[in-house]
Amino acid sequence: MASIHNDIPLPVPARDVWDAVRDFGALHQRLVPGFVTACTLDGDARIVTFANGAVAREILVDCDDARQRLVYAINNERLKHYSASVQVIAEGEASCRMVWIIDMLPNELAAYVQGQTKEAVVALHKAFPPAAA
């Protein structure tokens, strides 16, 4: 099983990042605008449209405010298994890390997913720029 780890430092308070992460239906507006172009809620899932035209149905598995951790899964014909967790960890008052881990099958799709996560991280940094001095 492929496991993709992203440990992303962000120059903003953890509470700000967590507020955006836990806003499950606003992925395209608050967390990764530009990388995700549309996101609509459908029960406990969100239908996500990516900039490259791909569409995925992501099911909310857990949203834990105490741990600032959100888990979602994708079930479709291409992926035998896809489970992802996003956790926001404070590093002082004004910065944090976002740890995003994806476990997936088949392994053959891991390079594509890894490439997509790199683009998502670029969008994430644009959404949470350093504070002006």
Side-chain angles (χ1 to χ4, degrees):
M1 179 174 302
S3 190
I4 299 165
H5 292 251
N6 295 280
D7 194 333
I8 309 150
L10 294 167
V12 294
R15 70 181 168 277
D16 296 349
V17 177
W18 174 243
D19 190 55
V21 168
R22 73 176 319 284
D23 194 354
F24 197 63
L27 190 61
H28 63 307
Q29 297 166 323
R30 301 190 59 199
L31 201 61
V32 287
F35 175 70
V36 171
T37 58
C39 181
T40 56
L41 291 176
D42 181 25
D44 64 349
R46 62 186 175 195
I47 310 304
V48 179
T49 304
F50 298 91
N52 68 3
V55 176
R57 179 183 176 86
E58 299 179 344
I59 301 162
L60 179 62
V61 175
D62 186 42
C63 183
D64 185 333
D65 284 317
R67 289 185 175 87
Q68 294 189 138
R69 183 174 182 266
L70 183 137
V71 179
Y72 65 96
I74 298 174
N75 293 318
N76 66 27
E77 62 282 347
R78 291 181 59 205
L79 296 165
K80 291 179 183 172
H81 176 85
Y82 185 106
S83 179
S85 65
V86 176
Q87 187 165 15
V88 181
I89 302 163
E91 294 197 328
E93 288 294 314
S95 64
C96 66
R97 288 180 15 248
M98 189 175 98
V99 179
W100 179 21
I101 301 171
I102 301 165
D103 296 317
M104 59 166 292
L105 287 170
N107 293 335
E108 295 76 29
L109 291 178
Y112 169 77
V113 172
Q114 179 70 53
Q116 289 296 99
T117 64
K118 287 179 182 177
E119 291 181 32
V121 169
V122 169
L124 184 66
H125 280 292
K126 288 180 184 175
F128 296 100

